[in-house]
Amino acid sequence: MRKPILKTVMVSSLAILLGGCINLAPDYVRPAAPVPLAWSQGATQGTAQEAADVIDWRNFFMDARLREVIELTLANNRDLRIAVLNIEKARAQYRIQDAAGFPALGVTAGGSVTRTPAGQGSANAAVIARNQSVQLGFSSYELDFFGRLQNLSAAALASYQFNVEMQRSVQISLVAEVAGAWLALAADSERLQLARDTLKSQQISYDLSQRSHAIGATSGLDLSTAQASVEAAQVDLGEFTSRAQQDANALNLLAGITVPAHLLPDSIPNASAPLLATPAELSSVLLLKRPDVLAAEQTLIAANADIGAARAAFFPSITLTAAGGTASSSLAGLFKAGSGAWSFMPSINVPIFNAGRNRASLDVAKVSREIEIANYEKAIQTAFREVADALAERATLDQRLSAQQRLADASAKSYRLSEARYRSGLDSYLNSLVAERSWYGARQNLISLRLLEQSNRINLYKAMGGGWSDS
């Protein structure tokens, strides 16, 4: 009965020792956000609405074509694919590191045959010795008394969580970038159509000027001015044709495939996305939910765990190697009674002198944590500025759009009156041309402002952490 009792006591003592490991990592405390508690500038009162980070992009973007383009992008974009693979890689690395905390059991089987010549040792004749063995055991299993392996595993887990958050961040950025590229194509397509219409109008005016000049009713100056307007319209047509093609190329690169023609826009939709309602005092706490901020925090958590691993290097480490099985001089005797064999080889390593390497490693770990604290705080400050910029821009967009629309309407009226006076012979063609160019410029600027207004909605949605979906 003594052997089972002794064995139980030994196993229980070992379990107590393993369960009582000391974790030398400093307690993790999330740094305070180095930004104001709320945004006030640019925020506006709005109706009750879910926070941006819980609004799925499928519910945010209104245009069915844009939603389909985003679907294609999420399925084919290479950056997002790399982010997913990085998660798989980090998960495997965590499993490798976590496995170090457990003994690796293995079965070894072997045999040997040796011949000793006559006259060697006490043998008067040649001796042939045979040995076969089968053993189950583990080697170099470290008892993690001071949490070195535990902290390395925690750092690997944080690295895995970092990649998970980075995938979310990449998706949010990708959704916003695709929507922005799609809207840029819509704006340049609308500008291209405006340039075509203007060129057509200018060509008609030039043809009329040619006929009038042929009969002496129009001066050569008016004819040259009309020709110059046609050439200027041709330049704009070429520019916007090129820009629209480049926009399409950029969209195809983001999507990872060639976007079908029926999904491409020809003008800016009235509302590609809803206007997010923002209260007058918008809490900056929502920044802590942004994936890029969470990713920066995971890096900080890993650096904190690395300090614990570096501190453990100052203390003794104990490793165990043990095996048990059978051994015999013949295969037939391997499993006979009395063939049992075992070995147990504990070892302890006590650091005494290593020229300051352990101290330097600890200093590196501590400095690395300070660096990650600064990176984490910078991530929060960057996120705060992105939201603040979007809110500040939103505060004046409606006013600018209304003023630009009124300017376009007034320019259109001015052009019609100038054209009528020119046809009546009361004014030169130059006045009509100036009025038409002003109207053309006002409409181009209106397109730019409409694009800016739609992009602002998307940028605010992105800055507040929207666009992520688990499906």
Side-chain angles (χ1 to χ4, degrees), residues 1 13 18 65 216 240 276-277 302 322 332 337 361 368 376 378-379 439 446:
M1 293 295 292
S13 300
L18 292 176
R65 297 169 299 174
F240 292 123
L276 291 174
S361 296
S368 295
Y376 175 70
K378 182 179 178 182
W439 183 34
L446 183 59

Side-chain angles (χ1 to χ4, degrees), residues 23-218:
N23 193 330
L24 299 176
D27 293 334
Y28 173 73
V29 178
R30 175 185 287 172
V35 294
L37 295 178
W39 294 276
S40 57
Q41 182 181 3
T44 57
Q45 292 288 354
T47 58
Q49 181 175 305
E50 289 183 302
D53 64 305
V54 299
I55 303 176
D56 184 75
W57 63 264
R58 296 176 186 85
N59 300 325
F60 182 72
F61 294 103
M62 299 177 175
D63 194 289
R65 297 169 299 174
L66 177 54
R67 288 198 298 268
E68 192 167 344
V69 171
I70 294 175
E71 289 277 11
L72 290 173
T73 301
L74 295 180
N76 295 280
N77 180 266
R78 283 4 181 223
D79 289 334
L80 188 59
R81 188 174 301 175
I82 291 172
V84 173
L85 293 174
N86 281 335
I87 288 179
E88 297 301 319
K89 178 181 177 182
R91 181 186 290 117
Q93 289 173 331
Y94 165 66
R95 289 165 54 196
I96 293 172
Q97 184 58 59
D98 191 54
F102 301 90
L105 295 176
V107 175
T108 60
S112 65
V113 179
T114 60
R115 179 182 182 277
T116 303
Q120 298 291 323
S122 60
N124 295 323
V127 177
I128 297 177
R130 293 178 173 83
N131 182 62
Q132 285 80 28
S133 66
V134 177
Q135 291 186 327
L136 170 67
F138 55 86
S139 63
S140 300
Y141 169 57
E142 181 178 345
L143 300 180
D144 195 24
F145 289 121
F146 301 101
R148 187 183 76 88
L149 298 179
Q150 179 184 351
N151 282 303
L152 290 177
S153 180
L157 178 60
S159 178
Y160 163 69
Q161 293 294 342
F162 165 82
N163 281 280
V164 171
E165 298 300 340
M166 284 305 298
Q167 183 206 4
R168 297 177 60 208
S169 182
V170 168
Q171 175 167 318
I172 290 173
S173 297
L174 184 60
V175 167
E177 195 172 355
V178 169
W182 191 85
L183 286 172
L185 175 58
D188 282 333
S189 297
E190 194 168 336
R191 293 187 183 106
L192 177 59
Q193 186 58 49
L194 178 58
R196 288 196 184 105
D197 294 341
T198 301
L199 175 60
K200 183 178 179 180
S201 173
Q202 297 285 6
Q203 188 65 55
I204 292 174
S205 297
Y206 177 58
D207 292 341
L208 290 174
S209 295
Q210 280 186 314
R211 289 194 290 269
S212 297
H213 182 264
I215 61 174
T218 301

